[in-house]
Amino acid sequence: MLSINDLQGHKLQRLAHLVLGYITMAYVWGRGDDVRKVLPSNIAVPYCNISEKLGLPPILVYADCVLANWKKKDPSGYVNSDYIKSERSTCYLDQKGVSHWNMDILFSFPGGDCGKGFFLISLLVEIEAASAIKVIPTIFKAVQNQDRDTLQKALGDITSCLQRALEVFGQIHKYVDPRLFFTVLRIYLSGWKGNAKLPEGLLYEGVWDTPKMFAGGSAAQSSIFQCFDVLLGIQHSSDEASSAEFLQEMRTYMPPAHQKFLHSLESKCSVREFVLSEGDDNLQAIYNKCVDAMVSLRKYHLNIVAKYIVIQSKKTQSSEEPSEAVNKGTGGTDVMKFLKSVRDTTKASLLKKM
């Protein structure tokens, strides 16, 4: 029985959650059709203990496999995509492949460099988008002071960060093979909620008497894009796609500090209402550029999912995977339906010309 008693500090505890998440996913999914329905107590007990301490569910989440699963090969080298812009001839996002990057992941699933490319591109998108967080206090202060000039500049900064995130996102085609992603990596990221292979969930032996259902790792568990939804007043649909409900549920898969941050943003003054009330065409146009940057990211995400999941599912018709499951995301939703709903509600948030 593994013990978590000697894990002092947040970093070691997050590392333990990552390790136990990889072990769990490998155990459940690593034998093909022989899907394990019971997680042994010597893994389940410490996994649930560390999960409770961190406020995370006992499954591999986005905060594990993307945010915590990396290191710099050269500790003194570059890590973010400023390096891409300044040193394109030798940067780690070049034609040489992921083995030449100054970043590496800590733990891998089968599929060669596919997982490395997928997780590190996701991390670099996060880094670019997250660089906009520092201007959020400036935005709220500008709204309170009715300072349109400062607000316009801050919104422009966020737009630039989101545009750079989209540019980095485009690198995924170079480093992630669609066939390997669909047939290998995606399986290890799947959860046991809305999954036909584990219809009752997974039993955590020694912890609970009945199986539990948890969603697999999903980009919807990223706090950064929900952050900009809240900031810009983008309200997602509560129709049959239930995008708003799913996004709220995905917050419970984020670190508690991220959840609290999103909640704190919701209690602030409305940037959208201020822009509407000012009746300033230029301010409205800059606000719309910011929203449109979010639309572009979500359109691109749809294209990626079509390429890596929908098209690949059609190429693997001989697969024994249930037909209703092939187009599901790792979070357990009908991924195309969900992403189209989110894209459409984001687009609907663009302000009409006065």
Side-chain angles (χ1 to χ4, degrees):
M1 179 71 71
L2 297 171
S3 171
I4 67 166
N5 295 334
D6 294 330
L7 297 175
Q8 300 301 317
H10 184 73
K11 188 173 182 178
L12 283 181
Q13 291 170 3
R14 285 287 298 276
L15 182 61
H17 197 268
L18 169 65
V19 173
L20 290 167
Y22 261 78
I23 291 172
T24 296
M25 293 312 216
Y27 182 81
V28 172
W29 302 119
R31 298 185 67 172
D33 292 332
D34 182 18
V35 178
R36 306 300 183 90
K37 298 179 180 179
V38 179
L39 187 65
S41 61
N42 60 334
I43 298 298
V45 171
Y47 196 16
C48 290
N49 286 343
I50 197 68
S51 296
E52 183 177 11
K53 188 178 287 287
L54 290 170
L56 291 169
I59 191 170
L60 190 74
V61 296
Y62 185 89
D64 294 323
C65 56
V66 174
L67 302 185
N69 188 27
W70 67 277
K71 64 179 179 181
K72 290 196 290 184
K73 292 179 180 178
D74 175 7
S76 63
Y78 290 94
V79 65
N80 64 31
S81 50
D82 287 340
Y83 193 39
I84 301 173
K85 297 186 287 292
S86 63
E87 301 287 348
R88 282 191 179 273
S89 61
T90 56
C91 72
Y92 50 78
L93 283 180
D94 62 12
Q95 70 279 6
K96 295 178 181 179
V98 291
S99 62
H100 290 263
W101 296 5
N102 188 39
M103 302 170 72
D104 203 351
I105 54 177
L106 300 177
F107 300 98
S108 302
F109 288 121
D113 280 345
C114 178
K116 183 186 297 187
F118 182 71
F119 294 136
L120 290 183
I121 290 293
S122 299
L123 176 66
L124 289 168
V125 170
E126 287 277 327
I127 289 172
E128 286 293 4
S131 61
I133 289 177
K134 64 181 180 292
V135 306
I136 291 178
T138 302
I139 284 179
F140 287 129
K141 186 175 180 180
V143 171
Q144 290 172 347
N145 295 336
Q146 299 184 344
D147 183 349
R148 284 184 285 184
D149 291 340
T150 298
L151 178 60
Q152 288 176 14
K153 183 181 184 306
L155 288 173
D157 289 342
I158 290 179
T159 301
S160 297
C161 290
L162 293 175
Q163 289 171 342
R164 291 198 299 271
L166 178 60
E167 181 183 352
V168 172
F169 197 5
Q171 299 283 337
I172 196 169
H173 302 286
K174 295 182 181 179
Y175 304 113
V176 184
D177 179 82
R179 184 186 62 82
L180 284 175
F181 175 82
F182 184 79
T183 60
V184 181
L185 182 61
R186 173 175 164 266
I187 295 167
Y188 287 99
L189 300 177
S190 301
W192 23 97
K193 180 175 183 179
N195 193 320
K197 291 185 176 181
L198 281 169
E200 296 180 358
L202 181 71
L203 179 63
Y204 292 76
E205 185 182 66
V207 182
W208 292 298
D209 295 330
T210 57
K212 299 295 179 180
M213 294 186 179
F214 294 108
S218 166
Q221 296 167 4
S222 167
S223 55
I224 190 66
F225 295 106
Q226 289 210 38
C227 158
F228 294 123
D229 280 343
V230 175
L231 180 71
L232 298 170
I234 297 171
Q235 299 288 332
H236 290 294
S237 173
S238 297
D239 61 11
E240 69 276 5
S242 300
S243 56
E245 182 181 344
F246 180 69
L247 286 169
Q248 282 295 322
E249 180 189 350
M250 289 299 99
R251 289 193 186 187
T252 66
Y253 290 76
M254 299 175 187
H258 292 206
Q259 298 180 46
K260 290 177 182 177
F261 176 65
L262 293 176
H263 183 69
S264 73
L265 291 181
E266 290 173 330
S267 67
K268 303 292 185 182
C269 50
S270 171
V271 175
R272 181 181 176 84
E273 290 302 319
F274 175 75
V275 172
L276 279 168
S277 68
E278 287 297 291
D280 184 318
D281 288 343
N282 191 44
L283 177 60
Q284 180 174 307
I286 291 172
Y287 169 88
N288 276 347
K289 283 184 180 179
C290 205
V291 174
D292 196 50
M294 290 286 287
V295 174
S296 296
L297 275 162
R298 285 175 165 148
K299 283 181 179 177
Y300 201 79
H301 194 185
L302 260 171
N303 293 337
I304 295 295
V305 168
K307 175 180 177 178
Y308 283 83
I309 296 181
V310 177
I311 293 175
Q312 289 303 309
S313 70
K314 293 177 181 177
K315 291 182 178 180
T316 56
Q317 292 300 319
S318 60
S319 171
E320 294 181 6
E321 188 173 9
S323 58
E324 69 273 13
V326 292
N327 290 335
K328 280 196 172 184
T330 49
T333 61
D334 180 324
V335 66
M336 291 298 286
K337 189 175 182 180
F338 166 71
L339 289 176
K340 285 178 180 178
S341 173
V342 171
R343 175 205 59 192
D344 291 345
T345 50
T346 305
K347 191 173 183 179
S349 296
L350 291 166
L351 298 177
K352 304 296 187 290
K353 290 183 178 180
M354 293 174 290

